[in-house]
Amino acid sequence: MKTNPIFISKNREDQELVSNEMSTIADAMCGLDITISGLHVDKRTECLLKRAMDAISSYHWLLGMIAESK
């Protein structure tokens, strides 16, 4: 699922959408963690998946900042 860039600029006031995005982030992080630990991926793939987790964490932080700014 791709995040709509308009979400942040136009819908930042809608708490339900923020909560929904937070839930999606949690699902993505769980899926990546299970993939890394459960499938025993090679080091290159593990590195890429961990970088994806970092990007998702940054997005989670950004949403938290948006939620707090209200």
Side-chain angles (χ1 to χ4, degrees), residues 29-63:
M29 292 296 277
C30 288
L32 289 169
D33 187 52
I34 289 167
T35 300
I36 291 170
S37 61
L39 297 180
H40 306 290
V41 296
D42 61 37
K43 289 294 181 189
R44 173 75 175 140
T45 303
E46 181 179 351
C47 179
L48 292 171
L49 290 170
K50 286 183 177 180
R51 289 182 69 192
M53 290 176 81
D54 288 343
I56 293 168
S57 292
S58 294
Y59 182 53
H60 180 264
W61 174 82
L62 177 64
L63 284 177

